[in-house]
Amino acid sequence: MFFGRIIRAALDRFRSSLKLRSLIYTVALSGTALVVLGGLLSVNIGNNLFDTRTTAALKESAKAAEIIENHFAEANGYDIDQLNLYISTLLPRIENEGVTKKRLVKFDSKDRSLQDRQLISLESNFWPKNIDDQSTPALPNLSSKVTSTTIQIDAHGQSVPAILTGQLITLPGNHVFKLFLIYDLESEQQTLLFVQGILLLGGFSTLMIIGFFSYLVTGWLVKPMRVAAQTSELIASGELHRRLPVRGTDDVAILANSFNHMADSLQEKITEQRELSRMQQRFVADVSHELRTPLTSMRLSSEMILENKELLPTDPKRAAEILFETVSRLDSMLSDLLEISRYDAANVTLSFDYHDMNGLVGQALSAIQPLADSKGVVLQAHIASGSVTCAVDSRRIDRILNNLLANAIEHSEGKPVLVKVAQNDNAVAVSVIDNGVGMTMEQAKQVFDRFYRADPSRKRTMGGTGLGLAISLEDAKIHRGVLEVYAEPGVGSCFRLTLPKRQSVLEYVSPLPLAVEKLS
Amino acid sequence: MSKLLIVEDDDAIRETLKMTLTGKGFEVISVSNGLDAIPAFEKHLPDLILLDLQLPGKNGIEICNEIRKFSMVPIIILTARTDDDDMVRGLEAGADDYVTKPYASEVLVSRIRARLRTLGSPSPHKIIKIGPVELDSLSHEVRKGDKKINLTPLEFKLLLILASHPNEVFSREQLLEKVWEYTYKADTRLVNVHVQRLRSKIEDDPDNPKLVLTVRGWGYKAGPE
């Protein structure tokens, strides 16, 4: 699903990018720390504000009680009207006494004789219903000592916290009154909100900064690793001279130094090996070339002797034939050695042209026919209909076909040999099948090795050089083709050559199966 | 009887080669030193030269270059190395063909005969045109406008075959068969090098040929359209 894909992509990115991961971890961890810290700070500040305000409120309420008590200390008797009058004149004084804003909300007589009469009721807006509720009073145990509690009041349509203080005041004549004062905490609430806002903003910015720096720092730390990875790749791809830059003496520099040291020693070893192998190839090529000059006169001489063999007695005549055959074989061995040393030295140039594979196979068949006839082997061909055009170096393909056919004829034990040609959109395949001795798959795996012989005890009737299939494999590879073998002991073997039709073809499947079929 | 000049420093090869070719009915002159090659050529005027590349005194490529300055005689290189540039440089210097050591006498003789045949192939008298170039099939004269162009017999044969079939594409293998008379797979570099040489003689701009065109992946054809 769509979201599933997004999540999977994000997870992949998370797993693959160290930078991203470290950013996320750092931000998550420091974010948690900041939230805890900010929460504690905010609670602490809130508590402090509240405590300070409560202390002030208690002090101011005591002061207000004192003012009222002092005012009535001189009076001997008073009725409710006088009381109301006094209280209302006292009100502004009480309200303005002290530093914090407060409101007198109720001054109520506890005296039964005055109870029926309506005492002043002030600021009824601020009169929360439950303050003096008989069943659940906000301050249940009033005494002459001021007590406080927290309530919610309604201010400008909003519920704000406030401190409610309450106490009993005894006026002359043993009249007891309840004095309730409300100190609203709106400004403290705002201060707290402001502080929390600052904390939140500060926390968020800190988090951003931490994230940014952690990203930068990880970048700095990761960069040498990325450079090291790239350099390793370059070295692996053959650029042996590549090294890491070394700056300072820190851990990264130590890593770079060790890496460079490793690269030095690798380069040294590889160069040494290459040089050795180059010298060896050079030696093989030189020896092969040097041998060709004496071989030329040997060959010409042996031919001349062979042409005049009728002049010789029986034994020297046979010796002349053997000499000629041996010289020819030495010649083909040298040619094969040279060819393989060219491949080893990567000194091979191809000349691609368009050819019809049917035609190439036809030519190869007619060239090998004399050998097949001499062995009594019937050659069969299943050729693809139409033309099978492919871009190849015909000389090399011819060599592969000749090798495969000669090989099949040699091992067919007189049974038929079948050549098949097939094509699909991208590839051409030729398979050569015999029903001869066959071989085990272990042997088949080694069949392309140089100088490998499936059965060392077999006599070398064909005078093969032992390099034919090794060269054919290289010939196929340089066409970006595949040469494969399937074999079963006693059943036979199938060699299949698959070639891309054009060098621009990158992927292809063989149009022929790799299997031995029973031939009749 | 055709006269051959062998330039070969290896005594054994020179001697066996001389015996073999004499036995095949050629008149053979041989020299062992590169410095003797051109004097011997001027003295005997052979019909064909068999030239080793690595020679004391003067190497085969220099000899080839010098002879081509005044003669279009067929030259076949005898070489032990097919993988290095020497052989290609020899062909570029004007050699017609090469034979790799160790060669079978049969192969060598058929190469020699093929090169000698080019000289005297009889054909009806015809003037064949390719662009501004005119070929006289009988006198083997090639002209470009008023200018006479010197082609080796092999180059002439190559151009004649291409020009006689304008716009027909010849594969390298076909040309090897028709021009060099190879009946088996041979080195297509022969064709490439000779087409280059031919172009350098007849084209206005050999890097931008108008007369002998390459058909990528297939071969060559004679232009212009």
Side-chain angles (χ1 to χ4, degrees):
Chain A
M1 299 282 282
F2 183 66
F3 285 109
R5 222 177 306 143
I6 288 181
I7 290 169
R8 225 169 298 128
L11 271 176
D12 283 350
R13 181 96 183 84
F14 179 75
R15 285 198 198 98
S16 66
S17 168
L18 189 60
K19 256 169 118 174
L20 185 69
R21 210 154 63 228
S22 96
L23 173 73
I24 289 173
Y25 284 149
T26 316
V27 168
L29 290 175
S30 43
T32 313
L34 281 175
V35 165
V36 170
L37 203 67
L40 282 176
L41 214 58
S42 154
V43 168
N44 205 358
I45 290 169
N47 284 346
N48 256 326
L49 279 173
F50 181 75
D51 287 349
T52 313
R53 189 73 169 94
T54 307
T55 313
L58 289 173
K59 222 179 257 174
E60 282 173 32
S61 294
K63 181 83 178 164
E66 206 181 306
I67 291 167
I68 295 170
E69 279 169 351
N70 286 346
H71 193 82
F72 287 99
E74 309 303 319
N76 283 327
Y78 43 84
D79 60 14
I80 192 75
D81 297 322
Q82 277 176 311
L83 193 61
N84 269 341
L85 185 66
Y86 283 128
I87 294 296
S88 55
T89 54
L90 271 173
L91 256 180
R93 229 186 114 188
I94 291 167
E95 280 189 4
N96 294 324
E97 193 72 33
V99 284
T100 49
K101 192 179 166 194
K102 60 181 167 289
R103 292 177 181 112
L104 178 73
V105 292
K106 194 166 187 183
F107 188 66
D108 200 3
S109 169
K110 259 187 112 179
D111 193 332
R112 284 184 177 277
S113 63
L114 295 171
Q115 220 167 27
D116 297 337
R117 308 283 297 273
Q118 181 58 49
L119 195 65
I120 48 165
S121 177
L122 296 153
E123 307 277 350
S124 60
N125 282 346
F126 291 96
W127 182 230
K129 288 282 179 293
N130 63 339
I131 284 180
D132 204 23
D133 195 298
Q134 288 304 317
S135 51
T136 55
L139 286 168
N141 302 311
L142 283 181
S143 70
S144 59
K145 188 161 167 37
V146 63
T147 54
S148 71
T149 189
T150 323
I151 54 164
Q152 291 287 324
I153 58 165
D154 205 41
H156 324 298
Q158 277 183 325
S159 180
V160 293
I163 297 169
L164 170 73
T165 63
Q167 62 196 306
L168 297 176
I169 296 174
T170 312
L171 295 184
N174 217 14
H175 295 296
V176 180
F177 295 89
K178 294 178 197 167
L179 174 67
F180 290 107
L181 287 165
I182 284 176
Y183 302 80
D184 87 51
L185 293 174
E186 201 183 350
S187 68
E188 280 75 11
Q189 176 79 359
Q190 269 165 6
T191 311
L192 188 62
L193 277 177
F194 179 71
V195 169
Q196 280 172 343
I198 293 280
L199 279 176
L200 208 63
L201 194 71
F204 189 69
S205 329
T206 315
L207 207 56
M208 287 282 115
I209 291 166
I210 289 174
F212 177 68
F213 282 125
S214 96
Y215 195 72
L216 275 188
V217 170
T218 326
W220 288 334
L221 291 176
V222 165
K223 202 184 161 212
M225 279 161 62
R226 292 210 170 147
V227 172
Q230 283 166 0
T231 312
S232 313
E233 285 300 325
L234 285 173
I235 290 177
S237 73
E239 295 189 36
L240 297 178
H241 63 279
R242 295 280 181 168
R243 293 295 179 272
L244 286 183
V246 182
R247 278 187 219 96
T249 53
D250 60 3
D251 299 274
V252 175
I254 291 170
L255 174 71
N257 264 322
S258 313
F259 183 94
N260 290 347
H261 185 67
M262 181 187 73
D264 284 343
S265 106
L266 275 178
Q267 185 181 20
E268 206 174 296
K269 294 259 156 45
I270 290 172
T271 316
E272 212 171 276
Q273 287 295 323
R274 268 193 197 156
E275 185 57 26
L276 267 176
S277 138
R278 208 188 56 79
M279 273 166 60
Q280 207 173 0
Q281 286 161 10
R282 183 82 216 161
F283 181 72
V284 171
D286 284 346
V287 165
S288 313
H289 279 128
E290 289 307 316
L291 290 177
R292 298 182 94 168
T293 303
L295 194 62
T296 308
S297 39
M298 278 167 73
R299 181 154 191 175
L300 289 174
S301 304
S302 69
E303 278 175 4
M304 212 180 298
I305 298 170
L306 197 69
E307 276 171 26
N308 297 300
K309 66 180 175 183
E310 300 314 324
L311 304 174
L312 298 171
T314 320
D315 281 358
K317 194 195 278 179
R318 181 69 199 129
E321 285 165 5
I322 291 171
L323 175 66
F324 178 73
E325 278 164 25
T326 317
V327 167
S328 304
R329 207 168 117 216
L330 191 56
D331 179 11
S332 39
M333 283 177 92
L334 278 180
S335 301
D336 281 1
L337 262 178
L338 266 179
E339 192 58 33
I340 208 96
S341 72
R342 257 175 232 146
Y343 270 117
D344 287 344
N347 185 18
V348 172
T349 42
L350 284 184
S351 79
F352 283 107
D353 271 328
Y354 289 105
H355 291 276
D356 180 12
M357 188 53 83
N358 285 340
L360 292 176
V361 168
Q363 282 173 25
L365 281 172
S366 55
I368 206 87
Q369 193 63 53
L371 178 70
D373 290 346
S374 73
K375 298 266 168 181
V377 172
V378 177
L379 296 176
Q380 303 176 354
H382 290 174
I383 272 176
S385 61
S387 68
V388 185
T389 310
C390 48
V392 293
D393 185 326
S394 60
R395 207 163 53 94
R396 285 170 210 281
I397 299 305
D398 198 55
R399 186 161 64 192
I400 300 179
L401 295 175
N402 183 61
N403 268 325
L404 295 184
L405 286 169
N407 205 47
I409 291 169
E410 188 185 5
H411 295 102
S412 67
E413 299 185 316
K415 292 177 193 146
V417 167
L418 171 67
V419 187
K420 294 211 279 188
V421 182
Q423 63 176 330
N424 56 27
D425 287 345
N426 294 324
V428 180
V430 180
S431 54
V432 177
I433 300 165
D434 70 77
N435 282 165
V437 280
M439 53 192 153
T440 63
M441 278 318 277
E442 275 79 62
Q443 289 172 324
K445 272 178 200 155
Q446 289 169 278
V447 89
F448 297 108
D449 293 351
R450 293 169 193 189
F451 300 116
Y452 176 76
R453 289 195 180 260
D455 183 358
S457 65
R458 271 176 71 87
K459 67 181 178 141
R460 306 182 172 198
T461 49
M462 290 286 297
T465 61
L467 288 169
L469 286 176
I471 293 174
S472 294
L473 186 69
E474 298 288 349
D475 281 338
K477 271 189 198 163
I478 205 159
H479 280 84
R480 295 200 310 98
V482 198
L483 182 58
E484 296 150 293
V485 61
Y486 173 79
E488 275 179 58
V491 176
S493 42
C494 169
F495 284 83
R496 181 181 70 180
L497 169 70
T498 311
L499 299 171
K501 278 191 169 174
R502 295 164 301 278
Q503 286 303 296
S504 54
V505 171
L506 295 178
E507 276 180 34
Y508 54 87
V509 285
S510 185
L512 282 175
L514 187 59
V516 181
E517 55 189 83
K518 193 82 196 128
L519 307 173
S520 51
Chain B
M1 201 188 335
S2 300
K3 206 189 279 180
L4 310 179
L5 172 62
I6 298 173
V7 188
E8 168 67 67
D9 63 324
D10 187 275
D11 294 339
I13 292 185
R14 200 173 59 250
E15 204 183 329
T16 48
L17 203 53
K18 194 169 177 177
M19 284 192 287
T20 305
L21 293 174
T22 310
K24 301 283 177 189
F26 294 103
E27 187 189 337
V28 180
I29 301 126
S30 67
V31 293
S32 61
N33 190 308
L35 293 172
D36 301 334
I38 290 170
F41 175 77
E42 285 167 339
K43 188 177 167 198
H44 300 284
L45 292 173
D47 300 310
L48 186 141
I49 302 178
L50 292 173
L51 186 63
D52 188 15
L53 284 182
Q54 282 155 326
L55 289 167
K58 190 185 277 185
N59 75 36
I61 291 159
E62 288 174 74
I63 295 170
C64 222
N65 270 322
E66 282 182 38
I67 287 177
R68 275 289 170 264
K69 281 177 193 158
F70 57 89
S71 170
M72 294 294 138
V73 64
I75 299 175
I76 297 177
I77 291 174
L78 307 174
T79 174
R81 291 175 175 265
T82 52
D83 55 337
D84 58 17
D85 296 335
D86 270 10
M87 194 268 297
V88 173
R89 290 222 311 278
L91 292 174
E92 281 168 352
D96 296 277
D97 202 351
Y98 73 90
V99 178
T100 315
K101 291 176 188 174
Y103 33 78
S105 56
E106 200 189 323
V107 173
L108 182 62
V109 168
S110 77
R111 305 307 327 131
I112 292 170
R113 295 230 161 98
R115 291 283 57 78
L116 290 173
R117 251 198 309 278
T118 333
L119 283 170
S121 55
S123 54
H125 186 250
K126 240 189 335 187
I127 301 286
I128 294 149
K129 279 192 168 188
I130 166 170
V133 178
E134 287 181 0
L135 288 87
D136 186 321
S137 67
L138 204 60
S139 68
H140 286 192
E141 234 179 41
V142 182
R143 294 190 167 278
K144 187 177 181 184
D146 297 333
K147 221 176 80 194
K148 189 172 179 291
I149 295 175
N150 281 322
L151 294 185
T152 65
L154 185 118
E155 286 159 359
F156 182 84
K157 196 173 174 186
L158 177 61
L159 184 60
L160 186 71
I161 285 170
L162 288 169
S164 308
H165 306 85
N167 286 321
E168 186 181 321
V169 179
F170 289 88
S171 73
R172 290 173 178 83
E173 283 80 10
Q174 277 175 307
L175 290 172
L176 277 173
E177 204 179 312
K178 286 180 189 293
V179 182
W180 279 265
E181 299 180 31
Y182 275 101
T183 48
Y184 52 92
K185 292 278 167 196
D187 190 347
T188 50
R189 281 184 296 181
L190 272 176
V191 185
N192 300 348
V193 173
H194 279 91
V195 165
Q196 283 306 320
R197 281 185 58 79
L198 184 60
R199 280 174 180 165
S200 72
K201 289 182 179 181
I202 63 166
E203 298 278 358
D204 293 329
D205 176 9
D207 292 331
N208 189 15
K210 295 270 190 287
L211 304 177
V212 178
L213 307 173
T214 306
V215 184
R216 236 183 108 78
W218 294 100
Y220 296 100
K221 67 171 187 179
E225 303 299 315

